[in-house]
Amino acid sequence: MASRDLFSIVTGFTLCLVFVGCREKNRDEVEIREEGSAAVPAVLPVDELIRLEVRAVSPGRKDSSIHQILEVTPVKELRREEAGEPDGGWQSETLSKVVSKRLKSLLRAGDRQVLADEFASTELRPSLLIEKQYHGGLRTLRPRGQLGAVTRHKGWAGFAAARGILLGEDPARLLKSLSIKVIDLKELKSEFSAELLMEMGIGGGGDESLRQINATWFTRWTKESPPRLSYLQVEHYEECWLGPGQRFVDISAAVLGGTEHYPAQVLRGTGDWATRLTRLGDFSLTGHHGLAVGDVNGDGLEDLYVCDGGSLPNRLYLQQKDGTVVDGSAEAGVDWLEDSRSALLVDLDNDGDEDLIVATIAMVVFLENDGRGHFSLRGGHPGARYPFSLSAADYDNDGLLDIHVCVYSAGDDAERRGFEVNAPRPFHDAGNGGRNVLLKNLGDFGFADATAAAGLDAANSRWSFAAAWEDYDRDGDPDLYVANDFGRNCLYQNEGGRFRQIADELKIEDMASGMSVAWGDYNRDGCSDIYVGNMFSAAGNRISRQKLFTLGSDPDLVGKLRRMARGNSLFAGGQGESGYGFRDVSEGSRSYLGQWAWSSGFGDLNNDGWEDLVISNGFLTGREPDDL
């Protein structure tokens, strides 16, 4: 069966024609009233979904769509890096590269030339460590009390001994991975200091156990060329141990490898596809494609629906009893070629099976499940064009799931999207993004835009990435937290089906680069906590502290920009004298160190009764020398 393509009339750039029509409207209306208020009632039409008809891509096109693309010679490198000063005049960037390189040489190869003659350090591995064991084989070791600044080691002999205690007798073999991030640099009288985040992976011992060391080092360096390390103080230290067999293993190939398209579609990254696909097929370099998990065919096994970029078909993977999957996309009727950002598998009509919602480039699409995993298109809502993410909850307690749609940017069209159309202004506190939409479920696959009627139009243009529902105040209706990319986040408190934006009141706006949000109870106190995935940038941390950056700038603005580089946020919820509130425990718990974070979530990974955090992170490294 050929892959499907929607909305060519809407986007103007898809691969085949479709028919978009209007669904007949019921003359009845649903009236939304705010109880105890004289506000004018908001009236919603019974159904705003428009009818969509799908025309399959021709077999010839389908057969060649991926395989012919793969035969195209990739675009060669457009240009080489320009010669010249790599840091653009920022001495901090030159020094940070030198410091990182010198320390790696010292730790990996034992390069004694890195040390100054007067070198001194505290213990690299504190002698008094408290061990804690977790279900599943995980062990952590942390210092007893605060680490001091007492000098324990001097000169090369002292460092060599400390290095052996930290890494083992054969560091060159045992040190599997080493990451050094310079987060602060300061010029001193005759030296300069550097604060570092250290991550070391150590393995290969007799029991094949793995050890990860996470530490913060304060260092001082001479101003020679190259600089030499004169002092090292360990400010934070922890070890995480995993015994044999107690670790995560990549089983992607074992599960997905039997599908025909696995090497051709799945194993190729965005950078590869960017050289083979064009904007004419709605392919977007930024990605942001989500997935949904659910049992679509009622066999008791969870299945997987994966969204993909324009010109690449979405995939429905049906789980088999042996844990592998088969590709059921075409047979289920859900192999769209449109750029799809998010999907949900939820029961929209209360018939006991999971229906499908897909946030495509043109609109949010609703599909009905027949109970056997075959989907029929019920229509699309055009009021949320170019959506980013979806979340579902019954906000008005009428027994039907409603849908919240995050729309990232405003004014997108088929030719230009996101920053190409409109830059966030101001960068740290933008309010010129897209309008998020609340779609009220009217039954029988009818949906209407209830955003304004429910009070969700307040602060509703903030470049939203993701949202999550939780009845944090325990009043019987779900509340909504929205993570926004450029500045303030939003918490909408649900008051009987009407929302009030109170993030500022509760001091949880978290002015950063909000990528994701998750609710949980990390400390098991019975109160809802919030974890927000943001961006962490070592370069942003160190540069925002340099005189060249702060010179002539508003200190308040500099502080806000510095906050955007700090990382993730954890807000602990609890009942106080003035009602329910939150405390920022990000730094004390060290949960802010999620790196360049995207999606995040709570989950008890080792079945010990405590919720852990899982964070997906990473980003592209640019070729431009001034790209930090």
Side-chain angles (χ1 to χ4, degrees), residues 128-424:
L128 295 177
L129 294 173
I130 305 301
E131 179 176 323
K132 185 174 181 179
Q133 296 189 9
Y134 300 85
H135 182 74
L138 174 66
R139 293 186 295 142
T140 62
L141 288 85
R142 296 187 177 94
R144 184 197 300 270
Q146 296 293 321
L147 292 174
V150 178
T151 298
R152 298 292 186 186
H153 305 283
K154 294 184 178 180
W156 167 250
F159 176 82
R163 173 174 172 249
I165 294 172
L166 177 71
L167 303 179
E169 296 180 357
D170 189 358
R173 181 177 67 87
L174 296 176
L175 189 58
K176 302 300 183 183
S177 63
L178 174 61
S179 171
I180 301 174
K181 293 183 173 67
V182 181
I183 59 174
D184 194 13
L185 286 161
K186 286 187 174 68
E187 185 174 355
L188 307 175
K189 266 191 176 182
S190 58
E191 298 178 305
F192 70 89
S193 67
E195 187 173 357
L196 317 163
L197 292 179
M198 310 289 296
E199 294 179 358
M200 309 176 204
I202 302 169
D207 59 355
E208 293 300 320
S209 61
L210 295 177
R211 177 164 59 115
Q212 178 171 315
I213 296 174
N214 305 309
T216 303
W217 287 2
F218 172 80
T219 60
R220 290 202 301 264
W221 300 76
T222 68
K223 290 187 175 180
E224 301 171 74
S225 181
R228 294 197 294 166
L229 179 63
S230 61
Y231 179 73
L232 191 163
Q233 178 182 339
V234 178
E235 296 183 327
H236 169 79
Y237 185 91
E238 71 175 4
E239 290 182 18
C240 300
W241 287 78
L242 278 176
Q246 304 295 331
R247 63 199 68 168
F248 286 95
V249 178
D250 183 358
I251 60 171
S252 306
V255 174
L256 301 171
T259 59
E260 182 181 359
H261 64 272
Y262 180 71
Q265 181 178 352
V266 177
L267 293 185
R268 295 183 178 272
T270 301
D272 191 305
W273 287 116
T275 66
R276 307 169 188 276
L277 300 174
T278 73
R279 290 293 294 271
L280 294 177
D282 294 327
F283 184 79
S284 174
L285 182 63
T286 54
H288 309 305
H289 307 295
L291 53 82
V293 176
D295 179 8
V296 302
N297 52 11
D299 62 357
L301 301 173
E302 298 279 27
D303 308 305
L304 179 67
Y305 186 74
V306 181
C307 299
D308 213 327
S311 301
L312 298 173
N314 295 352
R315 299 291 183 179
L316 175 62
Y317 297 105
L318 301 175
Q319 187 180 171
Q320 307 300 292
K321 291 182 178 180
D322 63 356
T324 64
V325 299
V326 297
D327 179 12
S329 317
E331 291 76 9
V334 292
D335 53 341
W336 315 115
L337 293 174
E338 278 73 25
D339 185 25
S340 303
R341 300 297 177 88
S342 180
L344 291 177
L345 283 167
V346 292
D347 188 358
L348 294 173
D349 52 0
N350 293 336
D351 65 351
D353 55 40
E354 295 182 310
D355 308 299
L356 178 64
I357 314 167
V358 185
T360 73
I361 183 175
M363 63 183 69
V364 180
V365 180
F366 295 85
L367 300 102
E368 182 178 7
N369 190 345
D370 66 356
R372 301 184 300 275
H374 301 100
F375 293 87
S376 57
L377 187 61
R378 294 299 301 267
H381 196 284
R385 294 186 62 192
Y386 304 95
F388 253 51
S389 64
L390 305 170
S391 57
D394 181 7
Y395 82 94
D396 52 1
N397 287 331
D398 65 353
L400 295 170
L401 281 177
D402 310 295
I403 308 300
H404 183 266
V405 187
C406 286
V407 180
Y408 186 66
S409 55
D412 291 12
D413 56 34
E415 297 181 359
R416 301 184 307 156
R417 303 175 208 162
F419 303 152
E420 299 174 2
V421 179
N422 193 18

